[in-house]
Amino acid sequence: MTLYTRQGDIRDLEEAIQCLQNALTLHPPGDPAKFILLGNLAVCLQDRYQRKCHIEDLQNSITFNEEVLASTPLGDPARGRMLHNIAACLRGSYTFRGVAQDLERAIECLLEALSLHHPDHQSWHRISGGLAKCLAARYVAQENVTDLEEAIRCYRNALSRCSEGYPGRSGLCASFAESLHTRYELFGDIHDLDEATELSRNALEFYSSSPPNNVGALIILGNCLQTRYRRLRSIQDLEEAIRHYKDADQISEPEHPDRLVALANLAVCLVDQYEHRGAAELLEEAHHHILETIKLLDEDHPILETLQAKLALMYATYGHLLRESPQQRHITDLFQRAVKHKTASVKRRLDIALEWVRVDKGDSVLEAYQRSLELVDQYLLIRSSIITRHQILLNIPPNLASDAAAAAITAGELEKAVEFLEQGKALLWSQMNYYRSPLQRLREVDDELASEFARLSGLLEKSARLQTDNEAPFRSIELEAREYRKTSDAWHKVVGEIRKLDGFESFLFPPTYSNLREAASEGPVVLITISNLRSDVIIVHKDGNPFLLPLAPHVRPQYIADLHSQFSQAVRAAETRKALSAILQVLWEDIVEPVVRKLRELNVEEGSRIWWCPTSHLAILPLHAAGQYRKGQPNLPSLYVSSYTPTLMTLSRSRQTSQSRARSSIPQLLIVAQSSAPNQPKLPSVPVEVAIIEKIVPCVTKVQDEGGTREAVLDSLPQSPWVQFTCHGSKNPRPFDSCFHLYKETLTITDIIQARLPDAQYAFLSACHSAAGDAKIPDETIHLAAALQFSGFRSVIGTMYAMADADGPALAEQIYKYMFRRVGRGKGRETVENGVDFRDSAEALHNAIKALRERKEGFPLEKWINFVHIGA
């Protein structure tokens, strides 16, 4: 074995393995000497795997190491070496098979190993380096930046604690360079790329005397140089990268994984070189290398899907230049196999699906969009925290759902377009609703399964609401993440069991159009897709198929984004009214007026309710107020009563209450009032507003002033089906930190979504920015009003921007007079005719604004368009 380590002759390694196997036969079970031999044999098998890549060598090495580990007492420092060896084998197995459990077990082993040694211990840097490699591999699969940053930290610590002459230092340098290169690709800091290039050159220099060992360093240096070429456009970098990949090919075993990676990367470089030089033979050579690599790979190999995707992209982009031009069917087949690959990570398959969407111009584009939307959903569910899911969405193409719908419309699949929009909008709320699925029907069939689903859903929802403390030790973060993954796996297993039951085959699957159409049972829902492919209105009506209304060619995402930018400036401008009027006229002419014409054709009665479900930045523009506002000219508020809904299913859920509960006799109203909050200007109209409401509403509970704490509000919400917030509201750059300002503390979106309020009905948010969406990802509808709707409130009134304190009392008076118009008072008791219905709130807001505008003093445009109604 020592001879092999020095000279690298595989024959010495084979002889060492044979000798150890023979020696093992001479020792009975339980003999301490046998465990020493097993440990040495495990190391030799691991080394042979590095050369020949026979997976059974790795599996046997893991088995032997685990046997030795089981004989070693807990806390014994000798366990550290065993754990490190097991982790190295598991990492190799993960590379070969792509099974996530191998990587998770490896990280678990290495964390235990680190806990057994002081940082000054001679083995500490090897274990830390091994942990870094595993974390870097998991980052590639899941793109959790915490893993990448911790990997880089571990590499630095490991390098700082090993001597210049340490044999494994070059391997650490190469792996460290790979992680820095990854971080460069994420953040674009050229210092990371420069350091990665220098480290990989150092590693290669050390390995120059041992060619079989420098394949990895060659590949990593090639990767750095290829990336430098794309940043700096220096052809010398590209040509050097090609040389290194070719060298790696020459010195590798024919079927070694590193050689296959080198060939795949070489093919990409050759395509880059073709784009620089225009020589067709470079494309043919690249094509040859990809085909050769695919032939050498097992069907379950983790990089197979990458190569299939590269080949598909090559065919889609350059197929017409190849000697054998591929058929479109073949390109589609490659993409289909890549996105369904069993051992590829969800993130990698999502990236491939998005590439498929980008290049596909054929009949399979709808399948490409379908796979993309499904994989976005799966990828988000990997993350425990809703905050992290939100961060991921920032890197997903912002108009994916609208683009998918546009493609479906072009293909004549209008119902599919509606389904795509539903599947791709408000993902964060939709996923949280997975954990709150109604289970009454399931309990009738299998109460035990329903209870287990409810238990696991509660645990996952709790994890989703928690914000990870990035300052916490990595070990504690890892333990929390491991527990989440365990619970998530169990939850998915239970969902699979539920889907096996008769009548539950589609449990938690995206709804079909026949289900979605129910959202229009009380009035049409106007969906608006804004895409660079095309923009359209789809009107979902209770009777029959949806109706299509194409929009003008100039109505595209950038056009709408510019309009929103103008709107944001207008609400703060000195001449607000003039600027807003111009925007409302554009909305009328480009979108709303054609919709009104269509609604009239469909005999939708004027004065009735309609619901808007827009996409893109249109979701945070005042469609409800669109109009020309010139004498004798129509505008939307004079024709229909507008409400909004983020999705069709959200609207349907808001109606899932009995008629008797919707129209209750005298509902209990909770008033959350705070006129003085820390670091906020005083609101003198708050007590006036409260007094006015108390005169109109018979049953009122108040949480106000010093009693208005976060805990008091959350405790009171379940007791009252109606709530009125009269206080400051703030929109935060971190959307889930947007809040109501209470007494010495705040009530954030994250706080609100803790509540489960099945009896909640109506909320009036007389506070600034309470329905102001996130302009970065407007399709997600993240604001205070949406949080209350998620928690159970079926109808919510909120504000798109800052409101004037003085407007609250007058508007509240008009709204509650309308809502309680059927309630009479006399001799200390109330009389009710036909009850009080929360579903009147949209008409109440509509009529209140109308009444205030008709006053002598009026109600200026910039004030009333601020108020919106959401829900039933």
Side-chain angles (χ1 to χ4, degrees):
M1 184 61 190
T2 302
L3 198 59
Y4 168 74
T5 303
R6 290 177 178 173
Q7 299 181 3
D9 190 331
I10 189 69
R11 291 171 297 183
D12 292 330
L13 181 60
E14 297 284 7
E15 186 176 353
I17 291 171
Q18 186 63 54
C19 289
L20 287 166
Q21 289 173 334
N22 293 338
L24 280 170
T25 64
L26 304 176
H27 296 272
D31 186 341
K34 184 173 183 177
F35 293 121
I36 296 174
L37 292 171
L38 277 174
N40 291 335
L41 178 57
V43 172
C44 289
L45 291 171
Q46 184 180 351
D47 285 344
R48 187 168 70 179
Y49 168 78
Q50 295 294 331
R51 294 290 297 273
K52 293 193 170 183
C53 293
H54 295 154
I55 189 64
E56 57 270 19
D57 281 342
L58 265 189
Q59 292 168 338
N60 287 332
S61 182
I62 292 170
T63 301
F64 296 152
N65 274 315
E66 291 279 15
E67 190 175 341
V68 177
L69 183 68
S71 70
T72 308
L74 291 174
D76 188 333
R79 286 177 64 86
R81 180 170 60 87
M82 292 295 102
L83 289 162
H84 178 261
N85 291 342
I86 291 170
C89 293
L90 287 166
R91 190 178 72 248
S93 178
Y94 171 77
T95 302
F96 191 92
R97 302 190 305 154
V99 178
Q101 288 86 341
D102 287 341
L103 198 57
E104 297 300 336
R105 170 66 177 145
I107 292 171
E108 186 179 345
C109 287
L110 290 164
L111 286 172
E112 182 186 344
L114 280 178
S115 70
L116 296 172
H117 297 302
H118 188 273
D120 292 333
H121 189 276
Q122 60 181 359
S123 297
W124 194 90
H125 59 269
R126 290 192 300 113
I127 299 170
S128 184
L131 177 60
K133 290 178 182 179
C134 290
L135 293 173
R138 192 169 69 182
Y139 169 77
V140 171
Q142 299 182 10
E143 286 202 352
N144 186 339
V145 178
T146 302
D147 282 341
L148 181 60
E149 296 293 356
E150 182 66 14
I152 290 172
R153 189 187 70 82
C154 287
Y155 279 131
R156 287 199 190 282
N157 286 341
L159 277 175
S160 69
R161 285 176 167 83
C162 67
S163 64
E164 291 289 338
Y166 169 62
R169 183 178 177 86
S170 52
L172 276 176
C173 285
S175 299
F176 187 13
E178 188 172 21
S179 287
L180 287 169
H181 177 258
T182 300
R183 190 167 70 177
Y184 166 77
E185 290 185 319
L186 183 63
F187 297 118
D189 186 343
I190 193 66
H191 295 98
D192 280 340
L193 184 57
D194 290 341
E195 186 179 4
T197 305
E198 182 181 357
L199 282 166
S200 54
R201 288 194 189 281
N202 291 342
L204 190 59
E205 183 178 351
F206 178 88
Y207 278 137
S208 59
S209 60
S210 180
N213 294 323
N214 70 357
V215 175
L218 285 167
I219 291 172
I220 293 166
L221 179 54
N223 294 345
C224 292
L225 291 167
Q226 182 185 12
T227 302
R228 277 173 56 88
Y229 165 73
R230 292 184 173 176
R231 171 76 178 256
L232 306 174
R233 310 309 291 180
S234 169
I235 192 63
Q236 288 82 7
D237 284 336
L238 183 61
E239 290 172 348
E240 185 183 353
I242 290 172
R243 287 199 305 274
H244 291 317
Y245 290 139
K246 287 184 175 180
D247 287 345
D249 173 31
Q250 291 298 315
I251 63 177
S252 299
E253 297 285 342
E255 297 184 16
H256 195 286
D258 284 347
R259 175 177 181 261
L260 306 181
V261 172
L263 287 175
N265 293 352
L266 173 59
V268 175
C269 279
L270 290 169
V271 172
D272 285 342
Q273 196 174 36
Y274 161 78
E275 292 177 348
H276 182 80
R277 289 171 45 191
E281 63 269 17
L282 293 170
L283 285 180
E284 294 293 347
E285 185 182 353
H287 183 217
H288 166 75
H289 288 314
I290 293 178
L291 288 178
E292 180 187 2
T293 309
I294 288 175
K295 288 176 184 177
L296 292 172
L297 288 174
D298 183 81
E299 284 189 3
D300 292 336
H301 197 286
I303 72 165
L304 179 61
E305 101 291 336
T306 299
L307 291 168
Q308 289 170 334
K310 287 181 186 298
L311 185 57
L313 287 170
M314 174 179 281
Y315 285 159
T317 310
Y318 303 108
H320 62 289
L321 297 174
L322 296 172
R323 282 195 295 268
E324 297 181 8
S325 184
Q327 298 293 317
Q328 178 62 41
R329 181 66 250 171
H330 184 40
I331 298 173
T332 299
D333 180 63
L334 286 167
F335 275 123
Q336 287 172 332
R337 282 187 281 163
V339 298
K340 295 177 183 177
H341 197 269
K342 289 188 291 186
T343 61
S345 70
V346 174
K347 177 58 171 64
R348 181 63 196 131
R349 288 186 288 130
L350 171 58
D351 289 341
I352 291 169
L354 293 174
E355 286 288 357
W356 184 7
V357 162
R358 184 179 64 83
V359 302
D360 196 312
K361 302 296 186 290
D363 296 336
S364 65
V365 68
L366 295 190
E367 182 184 355
Y369 276 113
Q370 181 72 60
R371 296 291 174 225
S372 297
L373 291 170
E374 290 171 354
L375 288 164
V376 168
D377 185 66
Q378 292 176 33
Y379 184 45
L380 292 176
L381 283 174
I382 292 173
R383 304 304 175 84
S384 61
S385 165
I386 194 172
I387 309 297
T388 308
R389 294 175 192 175
H390 172 261
Q391 292 168 347
I392 289 172
L393 281 175
L394 293 173
N395 296 312
I396 299 296
N399 298 310
L400 182 61
S402 286
D403 290 345
I409 292 168
T410 300
E413 299 271 359
L414 200 53
E415 292 185 2
K416 174 60 70 175
V418 176
E419 292 170 0
F420 278 159
L421 284 174
E422 187 72 16
Q423 195 173 349
K425 285 183 84 265
L427 279 167
L428 299 177
W429 298 122
S430 296
Q431 289 190 338
M432 292 288 283
N433 272 308
Y434 290 166
Y435 308 138
R436 298 190 176 188
S437 300
L439 299 176
Q440 182 177 353
R441 192 166 69 90
L442 178 60
R443 290 191 184 280
E444 294 171 359
V445 177
D446 192 325
D447 184 63
E448 184 177 345
L449 200 57
S451 296
E452 181 63 2
F453 175 82
R455 184 186 73 83
L456 293 169
S457 293
L459 293 173
L460 292 177
E461 184 184 336
K462 182 179 180 180
S463 294
R465 295 195 307 261
L466 294 175
Q467 298 190 43
T468 301
D469 181 5
N470 293 324
E471 300 301 319
F474 177 77
R475 191 181 300 274
S476 65
I477 296 175
E478 177 63 21
L479 288 173
E480 288 179 9
R482 191 182 304 161
E483 189 61 31
Y484 172 79
R485 288 189 291 270
K486 180 181 175 182
T487 306
S488 180
D489 288 344
W491 183 82
H492 280 94
K493 184 177 180 181
V494 168
V495 170
E497 291 299 314
I498 293 172
R499 288 172 179 166
K500 294 177 183 177
L501 300 174
D502 289 340
F504 290 87
E505 294 82 1
S506 61
F507 182 74
L508 293 189
F509 277 134
T512 61
Y513 180 76
S514 59
N515 301 124
L516 296 173
R517 189 177 62 192
E518 295 174 6
S521 61
E522 297 180 17
V525 182
V526 183
L527 308 176
I528 309 174
T529 69
I530 304 296
S531 167
N532 283 316
L533 304 174
R534 58 181 293 162
S535 296
D536 300 270
V537 169
I538 303 174
I539 299 177
V540 180
H541 201 260
K542 63 181 179 180
D543 300 321
N545 299 324
F547 297 92
L548 178 66
L549 186 63
L551 295 176
H554 68 272
V555 180
R556 294 292 185 264
Q558 189 57 56
Y559 176 78
I560 298 298
D562 291 343
L563 197 61
H564 173 260
S565 179
Q566 295 169 31
F567 173 68
S568 298
Q569 295 171 17
V571 297
R572 300 188 297 268
E575 296 186 13
T576 298
R577 195 170 311 165
K578 182 178 179 181
L580 287 175
S581 295
I583 292 168
L584 296 177
Q585 184 169 343
V586 170
L587 289 173
W588 173 260
E589 293 172 352
D590 285 339
I591 295 165
V592 175
E593 195 271 337
V595 171
V596 167
R597 284 202 310 268
K598 190 65 179 179
L599 292 176
R600 285 169 170 165
E601 289 177 19
L602 296 172
N603 297 315
V604 177
E605 185 179 350
E606 290 190 8
S608 63
R609 293 187 64 185
I610 62 173
W611 280 263
W612 296 94
C613 186
T615 62
S616 182
H617 287 83
L618 205 57
I620 43 180
L621 281 167
L623 285 168
H624 62 283
Q628 300 185 67
Y629 296 97
R630 294 196 295 266
K631 190 172 183 179
Q633 297 297 320
N635 55 65
L636 185 60
S638 66
L639 300 171
Y640 294 104
V641 178
S642 290
S643 295
Y644 291 91
T645 183
T647 66
L648 294 170
M649 286 304 296
T650 302
L651 182 56
S652 293
R653 278 192 293 269
S654 71
R655 296 192 180 120
Q656 289 173 358
T657 182
S658 67
Q659 291 292 322
S660 60
R661 284 172 61 186
R663 192 178 296 281
S664 54
S665 53
I666 302 292
Q668 181 78 28
L669 173 67
L670 169 68
I671 299 179
V672 179
Q674 192 62 243
S675 58
S676 299
N679 303 314
Q680 299 293 324
K682 189 173 179 63
L683 299 174
S685 295
V686 166
V688 179
E689 187 170 343
V690 172
I692 288 173
I693 295 171
E694 287 187 289
K695 288 181 181 179
I696 302 169
V697 180
C699 299
V700 170
T701 301
K702 291 181 289 185
V703 176
Q704 61 183 352
D705 301 329
E706 292 87 347
T709 63
R710 181 192 303 116
E711 183 179 1
V713 173
L714 291 174
D715 287 345
S716 300
L717 282 173
Q719 315 306 320
S720 300
W722 288 29
V723 66
Q724 165 94 21
F725 280 87
T726 303
C727 56
H728 277 293
S730 290
K731 180 182 176 182
N732 195 294
R734 298 186 298 272
F736 287 92
D737 288 339
S738 296
C739 64
F740 295 113
H741 292 268
L742 305 178
Y743 180 70
K744 293 186 177 179
E745 54 190 350
T746 61
L747 183 71
T748 67
I749 289 179
T750 306
D751 297 324
I752 292 168
I753 61 179
Q754 295 179 35
R756 283 181 177 240
L757 308 170
D759 297 326
Q761 296 179 356
Y762 160 79
F764 179 13
L765 314 183
S766 183
C768 298
H769 309 290
S770 55
D774 181 6
K776 293 179 181 177
I777 42 174
D779 280 0
E780 284 305 300
T781 322
I782 305 171
H783 47 60
L784 291 160
L788 283 161
Q789 189 178 36
F790 167 77
S791 296
F793 286 93
R794 290 157 170 80
S795 287
V796 185
I797 295 173
T799 55
M800 299 186 75
Y801 47 89
M803 65 172 284
D805 174 49
D807 294 339
L811 190 63
E813 180 178 19
Q814 293 296 326
I815 286 174
Y816 287 107
K817 277 184 176 179
Y818 186 87
M819 298 283 279
F820 285 83
R821 65 192 182 282
R822 300 185 184 94
V823 177
R825 291 175 179 262
K827 297 183 179 180
R829 58 186 299 176
E830 295 78 27
T831 59
V832 181
E833 296 180 7
N834 300 321
V836 177
D837 195 335
F838 72 85
R839 293 173 300 184
D840 288 343
S841 56
E843 292 178 0
L845 175 62
H846 183 86
N847 290 331
I849 289 173
K850 182 180 178 182
L852 293 176
R853 291 176 66 194
E854 291 174 349
R855 296 181 307 179
K856 182 178 180 181
E857 61 271 32
F859 196 34
L861 178 77
E862 63 273 15
K863 291 191 173 186
W864 67 261
I865 71 169
N866 189 15
F867 294 91
V868 296
H869 181 271
I870 301 167

